[in-house]
């Protein structure tokens, strides 16, 4: 596995790969877990070359969020990425991605970035789309692999790719869960034992909602109420949002007539977790 | 010369060209004049293939601006582009570039888009950077050719390319002028004879300012005053702005110690003209 820490090194590696190879790209913020590794596996199976980036992107964190605290372990990540079959690992400093005076942003406007995480993190997706756009411009991947865990990020990036006609195909891979159902997240490391135990309510409440939906309940308010009640049984859970929206556009819906996304964000102590399930 | 009116047709043509050829790209809003043709010539001389786009971009016009009135003549443009040696002409409908519901924008923030034309056209450059980004994504040119006539557009697009690491080289070509000095512009067609005569004051005032600068006057306020006085001798001239700024960043300066841009925008009747000169 090659490691590029600068754009110059990245370009040298990409030039060696050449323009005729298909490139599968997995953008990450590092602290890799099995969810990331499932993306790398999928990229390997569909492309000649697999490129992984590790970049904790400062522009998607607002002041006061956990940019500095975000977990980092490059040596471990590097070993995991190599073992998973990564060909090229891009691990740039922020100054490489955002040179001094950089002030260009890519933003998806409208409800799709204002709902869900966009409510409590109003500048978050502007940072996400900007950095993903930059990484796509640098790497020019054939396909990029994203996890359904970050459902809104997936919807927003798909829309950016469509609206800006970016020459890349977005492949979305299913959420990877621990054996007890907790969705894998780099932030899970911050949970103490009791928080982690109570956090299982996220996947449990979503699975229960899906069962209700399958049993014939299509009214969004009723399903949301069930999820809120379910999560509220856990004393440490502080709900940020519970919502059910159109799967593609994230538009509000009253009853489910097309694929919908049930998504939750809940804080346990200082740790904010998200999870979701597709109702189709 | 091939003509593509849809993205599907464009992609077919680009696939036939292949990935190994260098592509020179000239984005235009049509109604081609010798300024555009100089860009096409430069593109031809430096690349295997020359692609020209004609697209009057709606997102860079504000309500009340001259989007509908902007001059259009595709048959004439097509003949001129072919005679100049264009290999592929891209002439899309707005719905091809901006599909229904498109809401993603690329914006260069900061003084560089707030100064000069950004004052009276605050949303203009957001439309310019968005459409240029889209065209770059669709065509993936090796080099793109812009005219120095639109000096602020050049500075803004160069900054977008740098900040977003777009894989294209920007080549800037000098202003092409009529024999009497008027900078060529598609909008010149709107001038009546008297307006056109008085509009010569733009290039004359800028040339005089450059002579003053060459003679030792480096104070920006003094040079600006001279240009304003000069233009004001024409009764039909309504000044939008006269400014002298740092050439690259468009930052304010008090005295000229590095290359500077002297730029003017003046209305004659319903027609707004811009012109500029480099002080170096």
């Amino acid at each position: 596995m090659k490691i590029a820490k600068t754009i110059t090194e990245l370009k040298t590696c990409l030039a060696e790969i050449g323009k005729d190879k298909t490139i599968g790209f997995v953008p990450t913020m590092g602290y890799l877990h099995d969810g990331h590794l499932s993306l790398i596996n999928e990229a390997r199976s569909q492309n000649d070359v697999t490129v992984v980036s590790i970049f904790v992107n400062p522009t998607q964190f607002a002041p006061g969020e956990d940019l500095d605290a975000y977990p980092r372990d490059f040596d471990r990540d590097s070993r995991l990425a190599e073992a998973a079959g990564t060909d090229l690992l891009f691990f740039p400093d922020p100054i490489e991605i955002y040179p001094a005076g950089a002030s260009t942003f890519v933003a998806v406007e409208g409800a799709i970035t204002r709902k869900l995480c966009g409510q409590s993190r109003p500048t978050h997706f502007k940072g996400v789309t900007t950095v993903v756009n930059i990484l796509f411009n640098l790497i020019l991947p054939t396909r990029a692999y994203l996890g359904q865990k970050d459902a809104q990020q997936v919807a927003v990036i798909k829309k950016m790719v469509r609206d800006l006609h970016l020459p890349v195909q977005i492949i979305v891979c299913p959420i990877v869960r621990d054996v007890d159902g907790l969705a894998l997240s780099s932030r899970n490391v911050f949970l103490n034992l009791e928080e982690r135990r109570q956090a299982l309510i996220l996947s449990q409440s979503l699975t229960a909602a899906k069962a209700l939906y399958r049993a014939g309940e299509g009214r969004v308010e009723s399903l949301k109420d069930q999820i809120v009640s379910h999560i509220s049984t856990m004393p440490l859970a502080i709900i940020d949002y519970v919502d059910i929206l159109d799967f593609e556009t994230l538009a509000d819906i009253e009853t489910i007539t097309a694929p919908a996304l049930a998504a939750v964000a809940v804080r346990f102590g200082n740790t904010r977790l998200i999870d979701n399930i597709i109702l189709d």
Side-chain angles (χ1 to χ4, degrees), chain A:
Chain A
M1 183 181 74
K2 294 203 172 176
I3 297 174
K5 294 193 177 186
T6 66
I7 288 171
T8 305
E9 289 168 8
L10 177 72
K11 295 211 163 164
T12 302
C13 292
L14 291 172
E16 284 169 9
I17 291 167
K19 288 185 176 179
D20 292 331
K21 296 282 202 331
T22 57
I23 295 179
F25 172 49
V26 182
T28 84
M29 298 213 301
Y31 219 72
L32 303 181
H33 51 62
D34 283 350
H36 300 110
L37 300 181
S38 77
L39 301 176
I40 298 174
N41 280 334
E42 194 70 4
R44 280 188 67 198
S45 74
Q46 299 181 340
N47 300 278
D48 299 325
V49 174
T50 298
V51 180
V52 174
S53 67
I54 294 179
F55 182 62
V56 183
N57 173 38
T59 66
Q60 70 191 67
F61 292 81
E65 289 184 351
D66 59 350
L67 171 62
D68 293 337
Y70 198 87
R72 293 164 169 88
D73 187 342
F74 180 70
D75 290 339
R76 180 173 165 279
D77 285 345
S78 178
R79 285 194 302 274
L80 288 171
E82 181 158 28
T86 302
D87 298 294
L88 171 57
L89 184 61
F90 183 43
F91 178 57
D93 266 346
I95 194 70
E96 287 282 319
I97 299 297
Y98 301 111
S103 67
T104 305
F105 293 92
V106 180
V108 178
E109 300 181 357
I112 196 169
T113 49
R114 285 196 305 262
K115 298 284 178 63
L116 305 178
C117 293
Q119 291 177 72
S120 54
R121 307 184 77 188
T123 61
H124 172 67
F125 288 108
K126 184 177 173 184
V128 169
T129 43
T130 299
V131 77
V132 170
N133 192 287
I134 288 171
L135 291 168
F136 286 176
N137 290 335
L138 285 170
I139 293 162
L140 292 175
T142 315
R143 301 178 187 88
Y145 295 79
L146 304 175
Q148 178 60 23
K149 160 74 165 18
D150 298 303
Q152 189 174 13
Q153 174 171 283
V154 165
V156 170
I157 291 176
K158 276 184 159 180
K159 184 152 172 54
M160 171 183 76
V161 167
R162 189 191 75 122
D163 288 354
L164 296 183
H165 303 268
L166 285 160
V168 59
Q169 186 185 356
I170 301 296
I171 310 284
V172 184
C173 299
I175 299 176
V176 176
R177 299 181 180 280
D178 224 328
V179 284
D180 55 11
L182 185 68
L184 296 192
S185 164
S186 302
R187 288 185 173 100
N188 289 350
V189 70
F190 295 131
L191 298 169
N192 66 34
L193 273 178
E194 181 55 23
E195 288 166 346
R196 197 188 180 298
R197 192 186 68 76
Q198 296 197 17
L200 299 183
I201 198 66
L202 267 61
S203 59
Q204 289 166 0
S205 67
L206 291 168
T207 307
K210 184 154 185 168
L212 270 174
Y213 168 67
R214 289 256 163 103
E217 178 58 86
R219 294 169 302 170
V220 162
E221 276 308 311
S222 171
L223 290 165
K224 280 164 65 172
D225 287 348
Q226 293 284 340
I227 298 172
V228 169
S229 303
H230 211 141
I231 294 175
S232 301
T233 61
M234 291 298 161
L236 294 178
I238 299 168
I239 293 176
D240 184 357
Y241 62 74
V242 169
D243 215 343
I244 298 177
L245 301 167
D246 178 80
F247 178 66
E248 192 186 338
T249 64
L250 304 190
D252 288 321
I253 47 176
E254 290 193 7
T255 54
I256 301 174
T257 56
L261 178 78
V264 301
V266 180
R267 290 176 195 279
F268 294 88
N270 291 321
T271 308
R272 181 176 173 278
L273 300 180
I274 59 174
D275 200 350
N276 68 83
I277 203 162
I278 302 170
L279 306 178
D280 57 0

